[in-house]
Amino acid sequence: MFPISSRYHDIELATCQTASNQTIVYLRRRFLPSSQRFEIIEEHLVSEGDRLDNITANYLNNPELFWHLCDANNAMHPDELTAQIGRRLRIPLT
């Protein structure tokens, strides 16, 4: 259902029946993995104007893999990663 590069690729589908007998299909919850499980290949120092898509394009050769940085840096919201100038981002091996 989702491409292999998606954070939702391995997430199970579930269904629920409503009182009006409508079937709702949804994705089960995705839990953030422990950041300690990642092999870190490099660090990136956030500077003014950094964008996560550009960072992941540079280090991971794919701007859509931003979620790997989120997981490796314990971030629920991608914007957290570039909000603080001078923050060191862990760049994981994918």
Side-chain angles (χ1 to χ4, degrees), residues 59-74:
Y59 291 101
L60 305 179
N61 297 317
N62 185 336
E64 295 181 358
L65 293 181
F66 67 90
W67 60 275
H68 285 279
L69 270 69
C70 290
D71 288 354
N73 290 278
N74 293 320

Side-chain angles (χ1 to χ4, degrees), residues 4 7-8 11 17 22 31 35 44-45 54 64 89:
I4 197 161
R7 72 169 70 184
Y8 302 110
I11 303 298
Q17 288 295 126
Q22 178 185 11
F31 291 96
S35 63
H44 173 82
L45 188 63
N54 291 335
E64 295 181 358
L89 297 181

Side-chain angles (χ1 to χ4, degrees), residues 17-81:
Q17 288 295 126
T18 65
S20 61
N21 207 30
Q22 178 185 11
T23 301
I24 298 173
V25 179
Y26 63 96
L27 288 173
R28 292 206 181 270
R29 186 184 323 200
R30 177 183 181 271
F31 291 96
L32 285 175
S34 168
S35 63
Q36 300 307 311
R37 76 165 229 199
F38 294 95
E39 181 74 28
I40 303 305
I41 57 171
E42 201 163 341
E43 285 191 344
H44 173 82
L45 188 63
V46 174
S47 59
E48 184 72 38
D50 268 350
R51 291 189 1 215
L52 206 49
D53 59 335
N54 291 335
I55 295 169
T56 55
N58 182 47
Y59 291 101
L60 305 179
N61 297 317
N62 185 336
E64 295 181 358
L65 293 181
F66 67 90
W67 60 275
H68 285 279
L69 270 69
C70 290
D71 288 354
N73 290 278
N74 293 320
M76 271 305 254
H77 304 285
D79 293 342
E80 293 173 20
L81 297 177

